[in-house]
Amino acid sequence: MKFFHVSDVQTIELPRIGRADGELVIAEGSAGVPFAIARVFTLRAPLGAKRGVHAHRHCSQLLVCVHGSVEIMSDDSRDQRTFTLDRTNVGLLVPPTIWNSITFREANSVLMVICDLPYREDDYIREYSDYLEFRKAGAS
């Protein structure tokens, strides 16, 4: 298994078509999303809410704030980096093995999450102490 680092987390710009009457942002496996899409879901939360707070063993995700603003803290057990998503055509590409914590910075912000794998509970690491052990075991 490959263990990724915070330096592997990156923002990507999705294709955007702007017009006088609005904009169209495209998220296709062949247009901006660097993997085959297996699952899409959205999160909406009040101001200050914290979501995520877990890591995935195998699943890659592209996080796109489609309304409002969210802050994402990514952690690889050694380094941390914080990203702000507040544009509909900018996503955060998060590979597996990275711990993420999402804070909603505006009321009723909506985060769309695009995944390369379907939901599997055993892919999640939900306790930070378990995550640290997981990373430590991978370093051996």
Side-chain angles (χ1 to χ4, degrees), residues 6-52:
V6 168
S7 59
D8 297 309
V9 178
Q10 60 183 303
T11 57
I12 61 170
E13 209 163 316
L14 295 170
R16 181 179 77 83
I17 301 168
R19 298 181 359 176
D21 62 348
E23 71 176 16
L24 173 69
V25 176
I26 303 160
E28 294 178 328
S30 62
V33 180
F35 51 73
I37 299 168
R39 178 171 58 129
V40 177
F41 63 92
T42 59
L43 297 169
R44 183 176 65 171
L47 175 65
K50 205 170 267 273
R51 299 294 302 266

Side-chain angles (χ1 to χ4, degrees), residues 10 36 52 56 65 96 103:
Q10 60 183 303
H56 290 277
C65 187
T103 304

Side-chain angles (χ1 to χ4, degrees), residues 77-92:
S77 79
R78 291 192 177 153
D79 295 314
Q80 295 181 349
R81 191 165 168 206
T82 301
F83 301 86
T84 299
L85 296 179
D86 56 7
R87 293 175 35 215
T88 59
N89 69 315
V90 175
L92 186 66

